Amino acid sequence: MPTSPSDLPGPGAQDAADHPEEGLADLAVVGAGPAGLAAAVTAAGFGLRVTLIDAGERPGGQFYRHPAPQLGAERPEALHHGWAAFAARERALRAHTASGRVTYLPGHHVWTVVPQDAAQDAPQDAAPAGDAAGRAPAAWVLHAVAGPEEHAVAVRARAVLLATGSYERQLPFPGWTLPGVVGAGGAQAMLKGGLVLPGRRVVVAGSGPLLLAVAGSLASAGARVPAVVEAAAYTGYAPALPALLRNPAKLAEGAVYGGALLRHGVRLLTRHAVTEAHGTDRVEAVTVARLDADWRPLPGTARRIPCDAVAVGHGLVPQLELATGLGCATRRAADGTAALDLDALQRTSVPGIWSAGETGGIAGAQPALVEGEIAAHAVAGRPVPAALVRRRARLRAFADAMGRAHRPGEGWTGWLRDDTDVCRCEEVPAGRIREAVADLGAGDARTAKLLTRAGMGWCQGRMCGPAVAALAGEEQAPDRRPLSCPVPMRLLAGLPPADG
Ligand SMILES: Cc1cc2nc3c(=O)[nH]c(=O)nc-3n(C[C@H](O)[C@H](O)[C@H](O)COP(=O)(O)OP(=O)(O)OC[C@H]3O[C@@H](n4cnc5c(N)ncnc54)[C@H](O)[C@@H]3O)c2cc1C
């Protein structure tokens, strides 16, 4: 259960077994990252009763991740830019929690959301939620697991805002399962949340603007960064010059990262990729090769760089399980990922379900804050200020330009050997997936998964999904899973019996 006094559950939450009819929040927000936090405090400011639920122990999500108080960090803001925006909203959250307007539930992982009528039958089947006339149900029930004992919590609310963020896109390469190979965002999370470095000599690789931020943070914290290896070419931004010029603050942010790399003597290799990690007990070196425009390694360009860690990531993927479980429509975003299809008021295609932040397409913390505020206005029935709408459009245009520039080229599968594990949970190598496609006729990722078990392990395809889809010759489709995280059987067994 929540631990600090400000986290005590209020009238919007109770054990599922208790009195399910008591307590109905106006809005339940899933995710206390920039989008969910902004939405919760804005909606509470309009007088709505809000329940804010987050799997993490502290508000802030991925961007405003900060060390646990026990670590005694003197300046937790030192690893962040835009800390003031977070601090103001965290203060507002505390004030609204104290007044009872917001019930904040950290350490609660929502595993499904169902319309109240269907709550008896949770988890929901494949039909989109909402009735045939497109009306929202009177209430939604959000089922969560909480705390180390994994007890059941149910939250009821008239409207739901999904602000569940994203996770890293990983493209495997030979040696990527060696100790010392970590996600680029993971390295950042280790540093921001645990004040530890993944190694002393860290190659930062993959694609996307996060690499510059990560390399800058690692170098400033004392790591040696021999190179940032970026698979895309920055000339990919050229067609989007107008969108770039309308976002001078983003360009300045890029310049700050660039300056940090220069100061620390970090080499930036564009159109290059780490195509292999070497080592026995842990990574000792990487092979870096030059790529063609489709990300195919060019013969004769490989060279070794010694290191004891690799921080690698190829952008982010929207985390959509709860939304797709409800039947919310998706679209293909500029970076190739599937994102929620949202209207101008941040509404999903399912009446009564809103969304903000990375779920609507990878864009960064600033648009997430803006979209959270827009969604809160819409849920409260307030007119959305034109300035917020303009800001969202400007930031989203910049994000699309970034997404297009760093979208993986099709040739990246050329660095996979047949014995490279693609699905690390089920230990399925690339050769077996290629065999399923070439010899057994698997024409899509789902069939490849059924034939090889790739994507059936603990992470449920979050790591290998993009790679299996690419090997099967298609773009990754959003998964439709009834449970968004592992749930103990006793919780499912403890739900009220199915109606009829
Ligand atoms: C690992 C990682 C590291 C990153 N590092 C940086 C960085 O250094 N610099 C940078 O500019 N950008 C970084 N980003 C991107 C940045 O974090 C996002 O742009 C920004 O945080 C988006 O805000 P959001 O509110 O949409 O999502 P998030 O900040 O991701 O917040 C989503 C929240 O939802 C919660 N959640 C998800 N599913 C559930 C569920 N089922 N039940 C309950 N809670 C749930 C999560 O715990 C999380 O707190 C990183 C992203 C990732 C994935």
Side-chain angles (χ1 to χ4, degrees), residues 112-135:
T112 195
V113 181
V114 289
Q116 167 104 46
D117 305 344
Q120 305 270 313
D121 298 318
Q124 205 197 2
D125 66 16
D131 71 7
R135 285 184 300 249

Side-chain angles (χ1 to χ4, degrees), residues 458-482:
W458 182 256
C459 87
Q460 291 285 286
R462 284 189 182 86
M463 286 296 115
C464 68
V468 176
L471 289 170
E474 64 169 12
E475 293 199 276
Q476 193 187 9
D479 270 339
R480 188 138 194 204
R481 300 178 190 276

Side-chain angles (χ1 to χ4, degrees), residues 30-37 53-56 58-65 79 81 105 108-112 144 163-168 184-189 192 210 213-214 217 250 253 257 316 319 321-322 356-359 362-366 368-369 484-485:
V30 186
L37 191 55
I53 313 161
D54 195 284
R58 302 159 63 66
Q62 296 287 0
F63 186 72
Y64 296 118
R65 186 185 285 276
L79 290 165
H81 55 269
L105 302 177
H108 284 57
H109 205 137
V110 177
W111 55 270
T112 195
T164 48
S166 58
Y167 55 90
E168 281 193 90
Q188 185 82 324
K192 283 183 178 177
L210 185 57
V214 172
S217 303
K250 300 299 290 179
E253 195 182 318
Y257 292 141
L316 303 169
Q319 182 142 297
E321 290 90 351
L322 292 176
E358 307 277 61
T359 41
I362 302 307
Q366 284 162 10
L369 289 167
S484 82
C485 66

Side-chain angles (χ1 to χ4, degrees), residues 90-256:
E90 197 194 26
R91 273 196 305 277
L93 174 65
R94 266 197 239 115
H96 287 306
T97 308
S99 74
R101 185 81 70 200
V102 174
T103 300
Y104 170 47
L105 302 177
H108 284 57
H109 205 137
V110 177
W111 55 270
T112 195
V113 181
V114 289
Q116 167 104 46
D117 305 344
Q120 305 270 313
D121 298 318
Q124 205 197 2
D125 66 16
D131 71 7
R135 285 184 300 249
W140 298 93
V141 183
L142 297 87
H143 290 278
V145 282
E149 289 85 30
E150 299 186 306
H151 62 265
V153 173
V155 169
R156 294 171 59 245
R158 284 184 225 284
V160 175
L161 174 86
L162 300 173
T164 48
S166 58
Y167 55 90
E168 281 193 90
R169 173 159 57 190
Q170 292 298 346
L171 305 182
F173 51 89
W176 77 303
T177 53
L178 275 172
V181 181
V182 299
Q188 185 82 324
M190 285 169 76
L191 188 55
K192 283 183 178 177
L195 305 179
V196 288
L197 291 166
R200 301 168 69 83
R201 193 179 162 88
V202 191
V203 169
V204 177
S207 192
L210 185 57
L211 302 188
L212 302 182
V214 172
S217 303
L218 294 175
S220 306
R224 267 212 63 200
V225 180
V228 172
V229 184
E230 163 62 64
Y234 284 108
T235 48
Y237 282 86
L241 200 59
L244 303 188
L245 294 176
R246 273 188 283 121
N247 285 277
K250 300 299 290 179
L251 294 178
E253 195 182 318
V256 169

Side-chain angles (χ1 to χ4, degrees), residues 4 7 23 40 44 79 85 121 124 146 173 184-185 260 267 357 368 427 444 491 495:
S4 76
D7 301 337
L79 290 165
D121 298 318
Q124 205 197 2
F173 51 89
R267 237 181 331 162
E427 297 182 347
D444 56 71
L491 297 197
L495 289 171

